[in-house]
Amino acid sequence: MKKQSILMAAICLLNLLLPLASLKAQSKPNTPTIFNELARKDSLLFKAVYDCEVDKIDGILSKDFMFYHDGGYFGETSSESFGQFKTNLRSNFCDKGIKVKRQLVKGSLQVIAVNDEKATQTGVQRFYMDGKLMEESKFSRVWHKQKGEWKMTQELDYLVNTKFASRPDNNSLYNEIAHMDSVLFNAFNTQNQETIKNVFDPSLEFYHDKGGLTNYVQNIAATKNLFASNNGLNRKLVEGSLEVYPIKDYGAIQIGEHTFCHKENGRDDCGTFKFLHIWQKKDGVWKITRVASYDH
C-alpha cells in the first residue's frame, strides 16, 4: 500500500508538473496578465467555496475538472470529479454549517504560461477553522482557456500538513488511531488480506446489528470470500466523523461513520453506517479487539 500511495501521488504530480520542464525555454513565468487573472480566479473560487455559493464555481472549474488530494506516505491519494467536488462541498461543509477560512501564503503564488491557452499555477495555502490553523498544503493547478474564459481542469494538493489540527487532550492518540484506520481500510480497499490479519487481534469479537456476533476466524474467512467475489467494494471514512477516546492502561475507543460503495448495474451503490472500534496497544503495536457495526 505504501508503494501504491506514493506512486499515485507521484503520477498526479508528474502529470501536472513535468510538461512544464520541457516547455521552460518558451514559457514565461508570472506573465502579468495571466498571473493577475488566475489570482483573481483563485480568490473567487475560495470565496464561492466558503460562502457556500456552490453554483458560482461553475464559472471557474471546467466540467472535466479533477481534484487530487495526496494522503501522505501511508494514506491513499483521493480523487474527485467536478460533480463529486460540488457534492462533497455541500455535504461536508455547507449542510453542516462548518465555516473554514483559506489563506494563500503571501508571495507563494506562481504562474507559468505554457501558451496563450494553457497555464500552470502553484502556491502554498493554509486552512483555518474557528480561527485555528488546521492544515497547510502546496497546490498545483492546470488552467485552460475555454471560449475566452480561464477554467481550472486539475488540482493536486500535496505535502499536506495537518499537524496543527487540535483534538482535546489527545492529539497524539487521535493521530495514531486515524493512521491505523487508514492502514486497515487501505488494505480493505486493495484486498490486502495479510494486513487485515495483522490489524485484527486473534481475540476479535465483531458485533453486527444485522449479522450478530462473529470471531476472528469467521471475519478473516468473510473478507477472503468478499475479495474473491471481486465486486469492487470500497470504503471511505466520512470526513469529520472520527472521534477518539483513551482507555486507561489498554488503548483507545474509535467512533465514526463510513461509506461503502460498489458497482451495481453500472452505477455506484453506496451505504453509510456507524462503527465503534476498540483498539489495544501491546508492545507498541495497535490491534483491534472489538468491533461494533450498526445503523444498517
Side-chain angles (χ1 to χ4, degrees):
M1 269 312 299
K2 296 178 183 178
K3 292 182 179 178
Q4 182 189 43
S5 300
I6 296 170
L7 180 60
M8 181 64 180
I11 289 171
C12 293
L13 185 56
L14 288 172
N15 284 340
L16 290 169
L17 298 182
L18 276 184
L20 300 178
S22 62
L23 291 164
K24 189 173 181 181
Q26 65 259 42
S27 300
K28 297 181 179 179
N30 292 338
T31 304
T33 301
I34 298 177
F35 179 90
N36 293 337
E37 177 61 14
L38 297 189
R40 184 182 73 86
K41 290 276 188 175
D42 174 274
S43 178
L44 289 176
L45 172 63
F46 283 96
K47 185 178 188 307
V49 167
Y50 296 113
D51 286 347
C52 284
E53 297 174 323
V54 179
D55 290 335
K56 286 189 175 181
I57 70 175
D58 291 2
I60 302 168
L61 305 182
S62 173
K63 295 298 183 184
D64 60 354
F65 170 77
M66 288 296 298
F67 174 70
Y68 301 95
H69 192 278
D70 175 23
Y73 190 81
F74 293 104
E76 183 177 6
T77 298
S78 62
S79 63
E80 295 177 5
S81 65
F82 174 79
Q84 291 169 330
F85 183 82
K86 291 180 67 175
T87 298
N88 291 338
L89 172 61
R90 286 193 175 98
S91 60
N92 294 333
F93 294 96
C94 302
D95 293 347
K96 295 178 181 180
I98 297 175
K99 291 292 185 181
V100 179
K101 179 183 177 182
R102 180 261 198 179
Q103 181 184 72
L104 183 65
V105 173
K106 187 176 181 180
S108 69
L109 196 64
Q110 298 290 319
V111 171
I112 295 181
V114 178
N115 51 47
D116 291 339
E117 306 293 326
K118 182 178 179 179
T120 295
Q121 180 186 51
T122 62
V124 182
Q125 57 193 357
R126 293 172 181 158
F127 293 92
Y128 297 82
M129 186 180 296
D130 297 325
K132 296 180 180 179
L133 178 61
M134 302 298 291
E135 177 184 306
E136 180 178 276
S137 59
K138 294 185 178 181
F139 62 87
S140 179
R141 300 168 177 162
V142 175
W143 294 81
H144 285 85
K145 186 173 281 189
Q146 301 175 356
K147 297 180 180 180
E149 287 288 330
W150 284 101
K151 296 286 188 78
M152 190 193 305
T153 58
Q154 292 182 54
E155 174 167 345
L156 167 67
D157 287 359
Y158 60 102
L159 295 180
V160 178
N161 186 354
T162 58
K163 70 179 182 180
F164 314 102
S166 61
R167 297 294 188 278
D169 302 324
N170 66 333
N171 185 40
S172 177
L173 178 64
Y174 179 95
N175 290 337
E176 285 188 59
I177 298 303
H179 163 65
M180 290 307 302
D181 178 273
S182 175
V183 169
L184 173 62
F185 285 103
N186 282 340
F188 179 86
N189 290 341
T190 58
Q191 302 187 0
N192 184 335
Q193 182 84 355
E194 291 305 311
T195 297
I196 292 174
K197 287 180 180 179
N198 290 329
V199 175
F200 283 143
D201 189 81
S203 67
L204 176 73
E205 293 181 2
F206 192 117
Y207 299 87
H208 192 284
D209 60 353
K210 302 296 184 184
L213 172 62
T214 51
N215 60 27
Y216 175 85
V217 173
Q218 291 170 314
N219 277 276
I220 296 304
T223 56
K224 183 178 180 179
N225 292 334
L226 178 65
F227 294 163
S229 70
N230 196 29
N231 69 347
L233 189 64
N234 186 277
R235 180 264 197 182
K236 185 176 181 180
L237 182 67
V238 174
E239 187 173 353
S241 71
L242 188 63
E243 298 178 41
V244 176
Y245 303 93
I247 302 176
K248 187 176 184 295
D249 300 326
Y250 185 86
I253 300 170
Q254 175 192 10
I255 301 171
E257 297 181 35
H258 47 198
T259 299
F260 290 86
C261 295
H262 72 283
K263 292 292 184 182
E264 188 75 31
N265 297 323
R267 296 183 179 181
D268 284 335
D269 183 16
C270 300
T272 299
F273 315 108
K274 297 177 181 178
F275 70 92
L276 181 149
H277 292 167
I278 303 295
W279 293 84
Q280 182 181 25
K281 193 173 190 180
K282 186 185 296 183
D283 298 326
V285 178
W286 285 103
K287 290 184 180 285
I288 296 178
T289 57
R290 301 292 183 270
V291 174
S293 182
Y294 56 102
D295 196 26
H296 290 88

